[in-house]
Short mmCIF file of all heavy atoms in Angstrom, two decimals:
data_model
loop_
_atom_site.label_atom_id
_atom_site.label_comp_id
_atom_site.label_asym_id
_atom_site.label_seq_id
_atom_site.Cartn_x
_atom_site.Cartn_y
_atom_site.Cartn_z
N ARG A 1070 5.14 27.47 -93.75
CA ARG A 1070 5.43 28.17 -95.03
C ARG A 1070 4.86 27.35 -96.11
O ARG A 1070 4.22 27.87 -97.07
CB ARG A 1070 7.03 28.28 -95.10
CG ARG A 1070 7.47 29.54 -96.04
CD ARG A 1070 8.82 29.65 -95.92
NE ARG A 1070 9.79 28.57 -95.54
CZ ARG A 1070 10.47 28.43 -94.50
NH1 ARG A 1070 10.36 29.32 -93.59
NH2 ARG A 1070 11.28 27.46 -94.38
N ILE A 1081 0.12 15.60 -93.23
CA ILE A 1081 -0.16 14.24 -92.91
C ILE A 1081 0.85 13.84 -91.80
O ILE A 1081 2.00 14.19 -91.80
CB ILE A 1081 0.13 13.33 -94.15
CG1 ILE A 1081 -0.24 11.87 -93.70
CG2 ILE A 1081 1.51 13.32 -94.73
CD1 ILE A 1081 -0.56 11.00 -94.94
N LEU A 1109 8.40 16.93 -82.66
CA LEU A 1109 7.31 17.22 -81.69
C LEU A 1109 6.80 16.00 -81.01
O LEU A 1109 5.65 15.59 -80.90
CB LEU A 1109 6.22 17.79 -82.54
CG LEU A 1109 6.42 19.05 -83.30
CD1 LEU A 1109 5.27 19.41 -84.28
CD2 LEU A 1109 6.68 20.20 -82.46
N ASN A 1128 -0.26 7.88 -80.10
CA ASN A 1128 -1.34 7.72 -79.07
C ASN A 1128 -0.89 6.64 -78.09
O ASN A 1128 -1.10 6.76 -76.87
CB ASN A 1128 -2.62 7.35 -79.75
CG ASN A 1128 -3.41 8.42 -80.41
OD1 ASN A 1128 -4.38 8.22 -80.98
ND2 ASN A 1128 -2.76 9.59 -80.43
N GLU A 1138 0.24 7.82 -66.87
CA GLU A 1138 -0.28 6.72 -65.94
C GLU A 1138 -0.42 7.21 -64.61
O GLU A 1138 -1.38 6.95 -63.85
CB GLU A 1138 0.65 5.52 -66.00
CG GLU A 1138 0.46 4.82 -67.44
CD GLU A 1138 1.23 3.44 -67.32
OE1 GLU A 1138 2.33 3.41 -66.85
OE2 GLU A 1138 0.54 2.53 -67.73
N ARG A 1140 -0.30 10.67 -63.34
CA ARG A 1140 -0.95 11.89 -62.99
C ARG A 1140 -2.28 12.17 -63.76
O ARG A 1140 -3.08 12.93 -63.37
CB ARG A 1140 -0.02 12.98 -63.15
CG ARG A 1140 1.09 13.01 -61.99
CD ARG A 1140 2.09 13.98 -62.29
NE ARG A 1140 1.53 15.25 -62.62
CZ ARG A 1140 2.21 16.35 -63.20
NH1 ARG A 1140 3.48 16.16 -63.52
NH2 ARG A 1140 1.63 17.48 -63.36
N MET A 1159 0.35 4.12 -84.81
CA MET A 1159 0.54 5.12 -85.87
C MET A 1159 -0.07 6.46 -85.59
O MET A 1159 0.51 7.50 -86.07
CB MET A 1159 -0.08 4.52 -87.13
CG MET A 1159 0.56 3.36 -87.91
SD MET A 1159 2.20 3.91 -88.33
CE MET A 1159 1.96 5.24 -89.57
N THR A 1180 -23.81 10.06 -101.77
CA THR A 1180 -24.97 10.62 -101.06
C THR A 1180 -24.69 12.07 -100.80
O THR A 1180 -23.45 12.50 -100.59
CB THR A 1180 -25.17 9.93 -99.72
OG1 THR A 1180 -23.98 9.99 -98.93
CG2 THR A 1180 -25.55 8.40 -99.98
N GLU A 1208 -29.78 21.99 -88.33
CA GLU A 1208 -30.53 21.42 -89.47
C GLU A 1208 -29.59 21.03 -90.61
O GLU A 1208 -29.99 20.40 -91.57
CB GLU A 1208 -31.47 22.50 -89.93
CG GLU A 1208 -32.65 22.56 -88.93
CD GLU A 1208 -33.71 23.61 -89.29
OE1 GLU A 1208 -33.53 24.23 -90.41
OE2 GLU A 1208 -34.57 23.85 -88.52
N THR A 1228 -5.22 22.67 -73.31
CA THR A 1228 -5.01 23.75 -74.21
C THR A 1228 -4.26 23.21 -75.45
O THR A 1228 -3.34 22.46 -75.30
CB THR A 1228 -4.29 24.94 -73.54
OG1 THR A 1228 -4.94 25.31 -72.36
CG2 THR A 1228 -4.21 26.11 -74.45
N PHE A 1275 -6.74 14.80 -61.43
CA PHE A 1275 -7.81 14.01 -60.75
C PHE A 1275 -7.35 12.57 -60.87
O PHE A 1275 -8.31 11.78 -61.15
CB PHE A 1275 -9.11 14.28 -61.54
CG PHE A 1275 -9.68 15.66 -61.37
CD1 PHE A 1275 -9.34 16.65 -62.30
CD2 PHE A 1275 -10.57 15.94 -60.38
CE1 PHE A 1275 -9.82 18.00 -62.16
CE2 PHE A 1275 -11.06 17.20 -60.32
CZ PHE A 1275 -10.76 18.20 -61.14
N SER A 1289 -14.09 -3.72 -78.88
CA SER A 1289 -12.85 -2.98 -79.41
C SER A 1289 -13.20 -2.54 -80.86
O SER A 1289 -14.07 -3.05 -81.44
CB SER A 1289 -11.66 -3.81 -79.17
OG SER A 1289 -11.32 -4.46 -80.31
N LEU A 1313 -17.13 16.75 -65.97
CA LEU A 1313 -17.93 15.82 -66.52
C LEU A 1313 -18.02 16.04 -68.04
O LEU A 1313 -18.45 17.17 -68.36
CB LEU A 1313 -19.31 15.83 -65.86
CG LEU A 1313 -20.42 14.92 -66.38
CD1 LEU A 1313 -19.97 13.43 -66.12
CD2 LEU A 1313 -21.76 15.17 -65.76
N LEU A 1332 -23.38 19.22 -59.30
CA LEU A 1332 -22.50 18.18 -58.56
C LEU A 1332 -21.78 18.91 -57.41
O LEU A 1332 -21.54 18.33 -56.38
CB LEU A 1332 -21.47 17.48 -59.34
CG LEU A 1332 -21.97 16.55 -60.38
CD1 LEU A 1332 -20.98 16.19 -61.57
CD2 LEU A 1332 -22.51 15.21 -59.74
N ASP A 1347 -29.66 14.55 -65.36
CA ASP A 1347 -30.83 15.27 -65.80
C ASP A 1347 -30.57 16.61 -66.32
O ASP A 1347 -31.03 17.18 -67.34
CB ASP A 1347 -31.93 15.29 -64.75
CG ASP A 1347 -32.55 14.00 -64.39
OD1 ASP A 1347 -32.39 13.12 -65.24
OD2 ASP A 1347 -33.15 13.73 -63.39
N SER A 1386 -6.64 -0.33 -64.25
CA SER A 1386 -5.15 -0.28 -64.50
C SER A 1386 -5.05 -0.39 -66.03
O SER A 1386 -5.53 -1.41 -66.59
CB SER A 1386 -4.35 -1.23 -63.72
OG SER A 1386 -3.09 -1.35 -64.40
#
Side-chain angles (χ1 to χ4, degrees):
R1070 207 167 29 247
I1081 183 161
L1109 300 171
N1128 286 181
E1138 287 192 312
R1140 292 177 43 197
M1159 283 303 293
T1180 60
E1208 288 179 5
T1228 304
F1275 293 88
S1289 98
L1313 182 63
L1332 292 164
D1347 286 343
S1386 162

